[in-house]
Amino acid sequence: MPIEDEVTAVRANHRFDEARLEHYLSGRMANFRGPLEVRQFVGGQSNPTYLLETPDARFVMRKKPPGTLLQSAHQVEREFRIIKALAATDVPVPGVHLLCEDAGVIGTAFFVMDFVEGRVMRDPLMPGASAHERAACYDSMNEVLARLHKVDFRAVGLGDYGRPDAYVARQVARWSKQYEASKIDEIPEMDRLIEWLGRHIPAADETTIAHGDYRMENIVFHPAEPRVAAVLDWELSTLGHPLGDLAWACRPYHCPPGIDGVLSFQGMDLKAAGIPSEEEFVAAYCRRAGRTSFPDLMFFVAFSFFRAAAIAQGIAMRAKLGNASGTNAAERGARARLMAEIGWEVAQNCEIKTK
């Protein structure tokens, strides 16, 4: 998708003093020279993202949204830290330049990173692509996820990036709290799902770097080749169980078809399209991770839909408060109930299979 289709004028509720930002960056980035033009990326639902263009270069800025924020959300400081740490690994990430935690500059904390030339697949079905290209893109996405989970987080300075144990229990507690703080309507399936997750947390525990929102829309592919050029949007990253990321990427296999804005692989001829089946995608990851199987995968799929429901509820609340980052925030937020219903259905099937 051309960059002109990816950006728009800065939305009214996300404006800031652009002259002040230009002055700030001019004194701190050696490769920055004005005049500065600022436009806003149309994607994303949490931290507003901006294209910064100068006569010599393009950069990307991520900042916290304005207004009242949920506790522990929108931590651009953590995003900056992990992207900087991963620069020394084989996980492709943009180069980062600076982090500003002084809200006096443009109203909130922000960081600046390189603009990575490439393609962002807003539609993971990749219309217009050949089956061969789709297969190669999904395989590269799978390979990079396995690379991420092999990174020695202590060796790259992320030993204190999160607690290296009890990831699922902590995530259930955290997102349950976030969900309650942003709840607009009662969702009985969410209450049942939360209770079920608490009773079925797998005994086996592992710790890797977890991206938290690993999906095609958060990846830049090479401009001409079907390979990952950079992984973006690390806001939800932490130290966690690798199955959290793998199951998150598997959600389209479990979503019902025909729901506007919800990706579903059900009913598709995946082989003809070049998209791997869930079994093939998981098997490829297992091969790269040195595993034979993941018996707890379906628990983590249910867990992923729980997280998706809690995140959607937060988007709905931001839409209600008027500080949402995406233009379709209200529509995205309305999916909280659907995500909870799918998660509860997966959970019930898990329980049946384990009896």
Side-chain angles (χ1 to χ4, degrees), residues 179 187 190 308-310 312-313 332-341:
Y179 168 72
I187 303 177
M190 187 65 163
Q313 192 64 71
R332 286 284 303 275
R335 297 174 195 161
R337 184 178 300 276
L338 173 64
M339 296 296 103
E341 291 171 349

Side-chain angles (χ1 to χ4, degrees), residues 12 41-42 51 117 141 165 175 194 208 217 237 288 296 321-322 340 344:
F41 283 93
V42 296
L51 177 65
E117 294 285 351
M141 178 179 166
D165 58 7
W175 286 107
I194 290 170
T208 65
E217 193 174 352
S237 61
R288 287 165 170 144
D296 297 319
L321 295 174
W344 175 233

Side-chain angles (χ1 to χ4, degrees), residues 316-328:
M317 179 58 73
R318 290 197 296 276
K320 184 176 181 180
L321 295 174
N323 63 347
S325 299
T327 55
N328 63 338

Side-chain angles (χ1 to χ4, degrees), residues 88-209:
T89 74
D90 62 356
V91 177
V93 291
V96 291
H97 293 278
L98 61 80
L99 167 69
C100 175
E101 299 179 86
D102 180 3
V105 178
I106 61 170
T108 67
F110 68 91
F111 73 91
V112 176
M113 59 185 171
D114 286 334
F115 172 81
V116 178
E117 294 285 351
R119 298 170 293 161
V120 176
M121 309 295 188
R122 296 294 178 195
D123 185 344
L125 298 180
M126 299 173 60
S130 67
H132 174 77
E133 183 176 21
R134 288 192 195 95
C137 284
Y138 273 92
D139 194 57
S140 180
M141 178 179 166
N142 185 291
E143 179 189 20
V144 169
L145 182 61
R147 279 192 222 165
L148 171 65
H149 293 161
K150 287 182 176 180
V151 170
D152 184 336
F153 56 86
R154 295 182 181 88
V156 296
L158 295 174
D160 62 345
Y161 195 64
R163 285 173 51 189
D165 58 7
Y167 168 74
V168 176
R170 288 185 287 106
Q171 285 280 297
V172 170
R174 174 196 172 186
W175 286 107
S176 296
K177 184 177 180 181
Q178 296 278 53
Y179 168 72
E180 290 295 334
S182 57
K183 186 162 65 174
I184 298 173
D185 299 311
E186 294 294 332
I187 303 177
E189 291 82 3
M190 187 65 163
D191 298 331
R192 298 185 188 113
L193 183 56
I194 290 170
E195 191 273 337
W196 183 90
L197 289 169
R199 289 191 292 108
H200 291 82
I201 294 174
D205 199 10
E206 300 177 46
T207 302
T208 65
I209 297 173

Side-chain angles (χ1 to χ4, degrees), residues 123-127 134 138 252-253 255-258 262-277:
D123 185 344
L125 298 180
M126 299 173 60
R134 288 192 195 95
Y138 273 92
Y253 299 105
C255 286
V262 176
L263 177 64
S264 173
F265 291 157
Q266 292 185 10
M268 288 183 58
D269 186 344
L270 295 178
K271 185 174 182 179
I275 297 173
S277 67

